[in-house]
Amino acid sequence: MQPLTARVRNGRIFLDAPTDLPEGEIQLVPVQHAAGAAAEAGDDLDGDLDDAERAALDRELEASFDDGPLIDASDAIADLRSVR
């Protein structure tokens, strides 16, 4: 599913386009708020790993893949979107 874009006006959320979401409840997390709060707290969005722990995790993940090195998720998403 593609991300949805919405606007907030007077405390109400308005989607920019219709969706095919099923009826029911959803939870919204503002992207800027989540990233900003984590940065202010000195946290990364992946957990409470320090630089050494992050490097060790990256090495383990790379070793677990036979097809080549890891790539940045945002690059992979951009590649997928360009196929459309």
Side-chain angles (χ1 to χ4, degrees):
M1 176 178 190
Q2 285 227 289
L4 303 173
T5 302
R7 310 261 183 252
V8 178
R9 287 189 206 112
N10 297 323
R12 301 271 183 191
I13 297 170
F14 297 91
L15 291 172
D16 289 348
T19 74
D20 58 355
L21 290 172
E23 294 294 319
E25 186 175 302
I26 62 170
Q27 290 186 335
L28 303 173
V29 177
V31 174
Q32 292 86 358
H33 177 73
E40 288 175 14
D43 293 338
D44 58 33
L45 295 176
D46 298 327
D48 296 325
L49 301 178
D50 63 24
D51 291 341
E53 292 168 325
R54 166 65 51 209
L57 177 60
D58 287 344
R59 284 191 302 276
E60 285 183 43
L61 288 171
E62 284 187 31
S64 70
F65 289 95
D66 295 332
D67 295 334
L70 297 176
I71 61 171
D72 187 83
S74 59
D75 293 339
I77 292 169
D79 288 346
L80 290 170
R81 287 184 175 151
S82 70
V83 173
R84 292 179 183 227

